């Protein structure tokens, strides 16, 4: 029961910076070895020990692809990126200050992949059975203060079948240690901040008070996006008799004057600071969290409204990994992806099929990306770590997940699972209905402001013939269908209360699966695997999924421009895509194979080519070396061909192929591809942003082979070698080729499509850094950088 809040009106205490909560990052200085064998080596967190392992080709008696559905035969490691599973052993020597003695000391892990056990001074103190969820361990009585202590972690990825994709392994997210007083402190993820009508803010907090004081005094401050204080209040909460832990509403309907609204283009963030005060005014504990002022609405007649305006979700669903970096959750790599997808018109991500890192959520808050936040894949032991039955997980996982992300304005919908109907081993033998109700009931205890769904194939065992929606689709708040958007009209007619979201959309059907929805009524869609990723290989030697519109090094493929033409109709666009081969792969009954395409003009003399010009304009003219090959209209009335103009029997000739797009007869956009000369030199292009000497920040550097006119030469495949001087090191290398046998954690890489990518990780000492790139075919180049 909530107690009445008593405001202290005599003197408002100003929030100070002297709170006794002490935080220390433990990302640096770990030692690691694989399978408890060989010498220890030094590593820093985030760290993915799986990405360092060699590729393991399928055995002679294995299918080379992920699965043969008819024969139920799987390649042992194709789903896991052809990396051998193992155990990662980590250890860290840590000396806590003597001043921490008498405090409450906790060890915090944001996630350990995939299951893990934690030891302090050889004593088992805790662990995780589902590595995507963070946790803390009270180690107050396990430390020797002022002396050397040993923290050990054993991370295990070996459980058979514990994932359908590449997960990475080890300490892949941040590790920290923090302390509070023992008698008066906030709980884990203690703040719950809600907004109403885009002007009112309410705040709840969880805390523990073991003092003898008759009231708990809390000071609250709300800071505007510009840092100015817009609310400052100190309150006293009556103590609950016999209560050790309390959750209280501490500020109700605080009105914000002239609020800055969180929206896609203006993602303004406010901050709440909360302090627990003693009777003498001293600060016992302090926490803070960001939030945004915004409203979200769902309904069958309009789909989704953000701040009262209709919004279509235009996004993707991918796994949590970050290309060549594996699962290691680097904020800079995440930020690079978010900037890229916004550039191509996306506004949405579904975190399939597990919670991403907290840094990922914060960056979506910062950049105005709408999230469907997902907790699990299927609700079975096999799909949730494999260490313990699923029934032992969800009661702890749901609160941790919701409390961690509930203040983030980017999160607009909770998803509890994915494609449950495909697994017969569900709890309660009802394909998820009872388990959904149980989890939703617990979820709403911690957040009542968002709706809850499950991504599903919406029919029973045969989605091609069953006529009625799955029972679970009749229970979820939002009807989230993977691929089966063609059922929206019929299901909506029979069940007019349903609101539809295409939680996975096929890349191969890009265009039709967007334009054939009733965009006035649906929520939107998320394209599955829009960025290539490790794992779920559809055939060796591919190390993973290669059907995206961005390769694994984040280079856009031609089809990325079809997506941009759809998602940014206000921006005139035309892009030439030459068809190299026809894609015809099937995956779970869905065509996923894309036409193999490229956008260069280095071909064989006399070759006849078919190509597509992607455009959102009215008409396109194609010219070869200045000679017009004709004009064609954009077939905007044909949902299957809209924005895609096909050209057949184009006879290749060296020179320039140019597409000119027209609206109202006037040229409005152009794209040209040219035959290049021989590659004569290398060019390096670093990211244009500040590089911080914080031990974690990254610098992505694109290396290209160019001809005498500075044009990238797509046929160049020379091997490059990299050396670094200064306080930085190579975190990973890539070139976008999912079939490459080269490892990612090395100091060399071949060019592919004329380019390669080097990712450097900064040290902690500001310094000048140089990257030397050498090759037998080109002059050595030196790239000069600085960490600050």
């Amino acid at each position: 029961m909530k107690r009445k809040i008593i405001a202290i009106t005599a003197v408002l205490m100003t929030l100070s910076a002297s709170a006794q909560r002490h935080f220390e990052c433990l990302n640096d200085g770990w030692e690691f070895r694989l399978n408890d064998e060989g010498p220890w080596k030094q590593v820093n967190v985030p760290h993915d020990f799986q990405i360092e392992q060699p590729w393991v080709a399928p055995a002679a008696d294995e299918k080379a692809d992920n699965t043969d559905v008819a024969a139920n035969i799987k390649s042992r490691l194709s789903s896991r990126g052809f990396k051998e599973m193992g155990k990662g052993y980590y250890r860290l020597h840590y000396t806590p200050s003597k001043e921490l003695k008498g405090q409450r000391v906790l060890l915090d892990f944001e996630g350990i992949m995939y299951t893990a056990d934690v030891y302090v001074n050889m004593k088992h103190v805790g662990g995780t059975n589902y590595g995507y969820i963070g946790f803390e361990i009270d180690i107050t009585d396990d430390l020797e203060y002022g002396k050397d202590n040993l923290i050990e972690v054993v991370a295990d990825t070996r459980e058979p079948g514990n994932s359908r994709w590449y997960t990475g392994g080890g300490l892949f997210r941040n590790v920290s240690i923090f302390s509070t007083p023992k008698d008066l402190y906030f709980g884990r993820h203690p703040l719950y901040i809600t907004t109403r009508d885009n002007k009112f803010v309410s705040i709840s907090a969880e805390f523990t008070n073991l003092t003898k004081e008759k009231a708990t005094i809390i000071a609250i401050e709300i800071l505007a996006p510009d840092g100015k204080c817009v609310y400052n209040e100190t309150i006293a909460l009556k103590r609950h008799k016999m209560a050790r832990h309390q959750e209280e509403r501490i500020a109700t309907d605080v009105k914000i004057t002239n609020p800055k609204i969180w929206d896609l283009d203006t993602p303004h963030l406010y901050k709440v600071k909360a302090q627990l005060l003693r009777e003498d005014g001293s600060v016992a504990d302090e926490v803070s969290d960001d939030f945004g002022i915004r409203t979200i609405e769902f309904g069958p007649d309009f789909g989704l409204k953000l701040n009262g305006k209709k919004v279509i979700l235009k996004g993707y669903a991918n796994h949590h990994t970050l290309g060549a970096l594996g699962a290691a959750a680097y904020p800079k790599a995440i930020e690079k992806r978010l900037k890229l997808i916004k550039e191509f018109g996306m506004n949405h991500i579904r975190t399939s099929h597990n919670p991403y890192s907290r840094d990922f959520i914060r960056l979506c808050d910062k950049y105005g990306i709408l999230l469907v936040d997902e907790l699990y894949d299927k609700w079975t032991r096999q799909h949730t770590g494999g260490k313990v039955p699923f029934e032992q997980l969800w009661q702890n996982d749901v609160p941790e997940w919701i409390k961690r992300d509930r203040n983030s304005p980017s999160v607009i919908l909770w998803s509890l699972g994915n494609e449950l109907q495909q697994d017969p081993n569900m709890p309660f033998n009802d394909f998820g209905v009872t388990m959904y109700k149980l989890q939703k009931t617990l979820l709403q205890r911690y957040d009542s402001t968002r709706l809850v769904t499950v991504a599903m194939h919406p029919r029973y065992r045969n989605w091609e013939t069953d006529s009625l929606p799955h029972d679970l689709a009749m229970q979820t708040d939002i009807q989230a269908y993977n691929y089966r958007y063609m059922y929206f009209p019929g299901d909506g007619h029979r069940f007019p209360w349903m609101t539809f979201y295409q939680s996975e959309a096929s890349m191969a059907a890009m265009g039709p699966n967007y334009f054939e929805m009733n965009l006035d009524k649906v929520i939107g869609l998320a394209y599955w695997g829009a960025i290539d990723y490790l794992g779920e290989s559809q055939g060796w030697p591919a190390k993973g999924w290669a059907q995206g519109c961005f390769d694994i090094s984040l280079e856009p493929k031609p089809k990325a421009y079809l997506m941009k033409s759809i998602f940014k109709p206000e921006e005139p666009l035309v892009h030439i895509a030459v068809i190299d081969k026809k894609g015809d792969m099937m995956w779970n009954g869905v065509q996923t194979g894309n036409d193999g395409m490229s956008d260069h003009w280095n071909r064989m003399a006399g070759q006849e080519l078919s190509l597509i010009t992607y455009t959102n304009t009215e008409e396109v003219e194609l010219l070869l070396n200045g000679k017009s090959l004709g004009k064609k209209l954009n077939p905007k009335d044909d949902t299957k061909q809209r924005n895609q103009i096909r050209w057949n029997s184009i006879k290749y000739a060296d020179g320039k192929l140019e597409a000119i797009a027209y609206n109202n007869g006037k040229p409005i956009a152009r794209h040209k591809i040219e035959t290049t000369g021989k590659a004569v030199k290398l060019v390096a292009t670093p990211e244009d942003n500040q590089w911080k000497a914080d031990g974690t920040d990254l610098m992505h550097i694109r290396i290209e082979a160019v001809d005498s006119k500075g044009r990238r030469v797509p046929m160049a495949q020379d091997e490059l070698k990299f050396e670094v001087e200064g306080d930085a090191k190579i975190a990973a290398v890539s070139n976008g080729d999912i079939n490459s046998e080269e490892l990612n954690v090395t100091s060399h890489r071949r060019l592919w499509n004329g380019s390669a990518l080097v990712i450097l990780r900064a040290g902690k000492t500001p310094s000048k850094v140089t990257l030397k790139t050498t090759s037998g075919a080109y002059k050595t180049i030196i790239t000069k950088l600085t960490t600050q």
Side-chain angles (χ1 to χ4, degrees):
M1 179 182 294
K2 305 295 184 188
R3 299 285 179 165
K4 184 177 180 181
I5 298 174
I6 302 176
I8 297 178
T9 57
V11 179
L12 296 181
M13 300 180 182
T14 301
L15 300 190
S16 71
S18 60
Q20 293 185 21
R21 175 172 291 235
H22 172 77
F23 173 87
E24 187 174 351
C25 178
L26 294 187
N27 281 357
D28 296 338
W30 290 84
E31 292 180 300
F32 169 82
R33 67 179 178 182
L34 183 66
N35 296 329
D36 204 17
E37 300 169 354
W40 293 89
K41 68 174 183 178
Q42 186 167 340
V43 300
N44 293 328
V45 175
H47 178 250
D48 174 8
F49 71 79
Q50 293 285 174
I51 197 68
E52 303 172 355
Q53 307 313 311
W55 308 113
V56 180
D61 60 348
E62 289 183 313
K63 291 287 293 184
D65 60 354
N66 194 46
T67 180
D68 180 341
V69 177
N72 196 27
I73 300 171
K74 293 183 179 180
S75 174
R76 186 174 65 89
L77 295 176
S78 62
S79 62
R80 306 300 297 275
F82 293 106
K83 298 283 189 179
E84 192 65 70
M85 300 299 102
K87 293 178 74 173
Y89 289 77
Y90 295 84
R91 67 185 187 189
L92 177 72
H93 288 274
Y94 172 68
T95 302
S97 169
K98 290 182 180 180
E99 296 177 356
L100 291 181
K101 193 170 185 178
Q103 295 285 88
R104 171 177 167 265
V105 182
L106 297 102
L107 187 58
D108 185 279
F109 296 92
E110 292 189 12
I112 308 176
M113 191 52 61
Y114 196 149
T115 64
D117 291 290
V118 180
Y119 303 82
V120 172
N121 296 326
M122 310 297 288
K123 175 186 174 183
H124 185 266
V125 294
T128 180
N129 296 319
Y130 184 60
Y132 296 105
I133 295 293
F135 61 99
E136 64 186 24
I137 306 170
D138 190 329
I139 57 171
T140 304
D141 299 329
D142 301 304
L143 291 174
E144 296 184 31
Y145 298 89
K147 299 180 180 180
D148 179 66
N149 291 258
L150 183 63
I151 300 173
E152 297 174 284
V153 176
V154 182
D156 196 344
T157 64
R158 299 173 306 159
E159 190 68 33
N162 65 1
S163 181
R164 300 187 295 117
W165 58 85
Y166 177 84
T167 62
L171 297 176
F172 74 128
R173 295 180 185 167
N174 295 322
V175 183
S176 59
I177 200 163
F178 68 95
S179 66
T180 71
K182 286 184 175 181
D183 61 345
L184 186 59
Y185 55 86
F186 286 108
R188 182 169 175 81
H189 312 308
L191 298 178
Y192 181 27
I193 308 163
T194 60
T195 64
R196 182 173 63 82
D197 298 338
N198 275 354
K199 58 185 174 182
F200 296 107
V201 179
S202 296
I203 306 166
S204 297
E206 294 183 28
F207 56 89
T208 295
N209 188 345
L210 303 179
T211 70
K212 295 181 180 180
E213 297 171 3
K214 294 181 179 180
T216 301
I217 303 171
I218 301 181
I220 295 293
E221 193 174 56
I222 300 177
L223 302 179
D226 61 3
K228 294 181 180 179
C229 179
V230 294
Y231 176 80
N232 189 337
E233 189 71 58
T234 303
I235 59 175
L237 304 173
K238 288 185 177 180
R239 294 283 299 278
H240 291 249
K241 291 183 179 181
M242 305 300 291
R244 299 169 62 86
H245 180 82
Q246 294 177 228
E247 178 184 358
E248 291 279 3
R249 179 67 63 88
I250 54 178
T252 302
D253 284 349
V254 176
K255 187 174 182 180
I256 305 297
T257 304
N258 298 320
K260 298 286 187 180
I261 304 302
W262 189 94
D263 213 327
L264 297 175
D265 298 320
T266 57
H268 297 297
L269 291 172
Y270 286 74
K271 183 183 291 292
V272 166
K273 289 185 177 181
Q275 291 181 332
L276 285 169
L277 306 178
R278 301 188 186 278
E279 286 185 337
D280 63 3
S282 63
V283 179
D285 197 9
E286 177 180 313
V287 293
S288 65
D289 204 359
D290 293 337
F291 72 99
I293 298 175
R294 60 100 175 98
T295 60
I296 50 174
E297 304 169 74
F298 293 95
D301 296 328
F302 57 84
L304 167 66
K305 289 182 180 179
L306 176 65
N307 301 317
K309 296 180 180 179
K310 165 71 178 178
V311 170
I312 292 282
L313 294 186
K314 306 172 183 177
Y316 75 87
N318 255 61
H319 296 303
H320 67 287
T321 51
L322 298 171
L325 296 163
Y330 290 94
K332 177 59 69 63
I334 296 167
E335 186 176 42
K336 185 175 180 67
R337 290 186 169 221
L338 298 185
K339 289 180 177 179
L340 176 68
I341 68 167
K342 289 210 76 168
E343 178 187 345
F344 278 79
M346 294 193 209
N347 61 15
H348 162 56
I349 297 171
R350 170 179 163 230
T351 70
S352 44
H353 303 293
N354 43 262
Y356 287 11
S357 69
R358 183 61 191 150
D359 283 329
F360 185 96
I361 308 296
R362 290 193 186 101
L363 285 165
C364 288
D365 292 341
K366 175 181 176 180
Y367 284 102
I369 304 290
L370 300 175
L371 291 175
V372 174
D373 203 347
E374 192 158 275
L375 179 59
Y376 294 121
D377 186 15
K378 297 168 177 58
W379 299 333
T380 68
R381 180 174 187 156
Q382 175 186 353
H383 298 103
T384 51
K387 193 173 182 180
V388 299
F390 171 76
E391 291 83 346
Q392 296 180 21
L393 289 178
W394 65 271
Q395 298 94 328
N396 293 320
D397 290 351
V398 169
E400 167 67 17
W401 168 54
I402 297 298
K403 291 169 66 179
R404 191 198 74 164
D405 291 346
R406 62 188 175 183
N407 295 331
S408 286
S410 61
V411 178
I412 61 169
L413 185 66
W414 304 116
S415 175
L416 288 166
N418 173 67
E419 294 184 356
L420 311 171
Q421 302 84 346
Q422 293 183 308
D423 197 300
N425 301 311
M426 295 298 302
F428 304 106
N429 197 33
D430 61 358
F431 289 90
V433 172
T434 300
M435 182 53 69
Y436 169 79
K437 291 179 179 179
L438 289 170
Q439 291 181 86
K440 180 182 175 182
T441 299
L442 179 60
L443 184 159
Q444 290 181 320
R445 159 68 177 83
Y446 297 98
D447 178 44
S448 60
T449 68
R450 297 173 180 88
L451 299 183
V452 185
T453 192
V454 170
M456 65 190 87
H457 274 294
R459 297 303 187 256
Y460 278 99
R461 297 159 187 81
N462 189 333
W463 52 75
E464 299 292 348
T465 60
D466 288 347
S467 59
L468 290 175
H470 190 282
D471 286 351
L472 188 56
M474 306 295 286
Q475 300 294 329
T476 55
D477 296 335
I478 298 297
Q479 284 58 53
Y481 292 3
N482 286 357
Y483 308 105
R484 305 297 163 179
Y485 68 94
M486 64 287 296
Y487 291 133
F488 291 172
D491 288 358
H493 178 73
R494 285 175 290 185
F495 308 103
W497 49 269
M498 286 186 167
T499 306
F500 297 103
Y501 163 54
Q502 197 177 164
S503 37
E504 288 179 22
S506 167
M507 293 292 301
M510 181 181 288
N513 54 20
Y514 181 81
F515 292 121
E516 290 177 3
M517 297 191 298
N518 185 339
L519 298 176
D520 292 331
K521 292 190 174 184
V522 300
I523 293 170
L525 55 66
Y527 280 111
W528 178 259
I531 302 174
D532 290 353
Y533 57 86
L534 293 175
E536 293 192 289
S537 168
Q538 294 180 320
W540 178 267
K543 308 308 186 297
W545 177 270
Q547 308 305 315
C549 55
F550 301 95
D551 71 28
I552 200 165
S553 75
L554 299 186
E555 284 284 271
K557 302 178 187 179
K559 203 160 191 176
Y561 295 91
L562 171 60
M563 183 176 67
K564 187 174 184 179
S565 77
I566 297 169
F567 286 174
K568 299 182 84 171
E570 74 285 355
E571 185 175 309
L573 174 150
V574 65
H575 195 91
I576 301 169
V578 181
I579 299 174
D580 298 318
K581 61 181 179 180
K582 179 67 178 175
D584 57 0
M585 289 184 178
M586 298 298 290
W587 184 268
N588 290 340
V590 177
Q591 182 180 344
T592 59
N594 285 311
D595 288 342
M597 294 180 177
S598 55
D599 48 9
H600 65 80
W601 199 238
N602 287 42
R603 309 285 168 172
M604 295 176 60
Q607 183 179 7
E608 283 202 353
L609 300 164
S610 294
L611 57 89
I612 296 175
T613 48
Y614 295 131
T615 188
N616 49 19
T617 64
E618 296 173 356
E619 189 177 30
V620 171
E621 182 179 16
L622 197 64
L623 298 94
L624 179 57
N625 294 325
K627 180 181 178 181
S628 177
L629 302 180
K631 288 185 178 181
K632 291 189 178 184
L633 294 174
N634 183 352
K636 291 190 175 183
D637 293 333
D638 183 349
T639 58
K640 298 192 182 304
Q641 300 299 322
R642 183 172 176 176
N643 287 17
Q644 306 177 61
I645 303 175
R646 189 174 181 108
W647 307 76
N648 293 319
S649 301
I650 304 298
K651 191 171 182 178
Y652 173 75
D654 287 354
K656 178 175 69 174
L657 183 69
E658 184 174 22
I660 304 176
Y662 297 86
N663 277 345
N664 298 318
K666 295 181 179 180
I668 195 169
R670 295 173 182 261
H671 179 232
K672 67 178 180 180
I673 53 179
E674 296 179 288
T675 308
T676 66
K678 179 183 177 181
V680 297
K681 66 177 181 178
L682 299 174
V683 175
T685 307
E687 288 178 292
D688 184 19
N689 51 256
Q690 189 181 78
W691 192 17
K692 301 175 184 176
D694 62 3
T696 303
D697 201 16
L698 302 178
M699 175 61 68
H700 296 73
I701 305 167
R702 178 70 59 177
I703 312 292
E704 297 174 292
V706 300
D707 68 4
S708 59
K709 294 183 178 181
R711 300 171 298 190
R712 182 194 290 189
V713 180
M715 302 300 110
Q717 299 184 39
D718 307 275
E719 184 173 19
L720 310 180
K721 295 182 179 179
F722 310 107
E723 296 178 43
V724 180
E725 292 183 0
D727 192 20
K729 65 179 183 179
I730 297 173
V733 294
S734 182
N735 61 12
D737 183 8
I738 203 77
N739 295 312
S740 175
E741 81 286 357
E742 300 169 288
L743 294 177
N744 298 109
V745 187
T746 61
S747 59
H748 58 89
R749 193 74 171 188
R750 285 195 305 271
L751 295 166
W752 186 68
N753 287 337
S755 84
L757 179 68
V758 185
I759 307 174
L760 302 183
R761 177 174 178 164
K764 287 196 168 182
T765 303
S767 71
K768 296 185 182 299
V769 176
T770 61
L771 172 68
K772 182 166 75 171
T773 305
T774 60
S775 172
Y778 310 102
K779 182 180 178 181
T780 296
I781 59 171
I782 303 294
T783 308
K784 296 182 179 181
L785 305 159
T786 303
T787 60
Q788 300 178 359

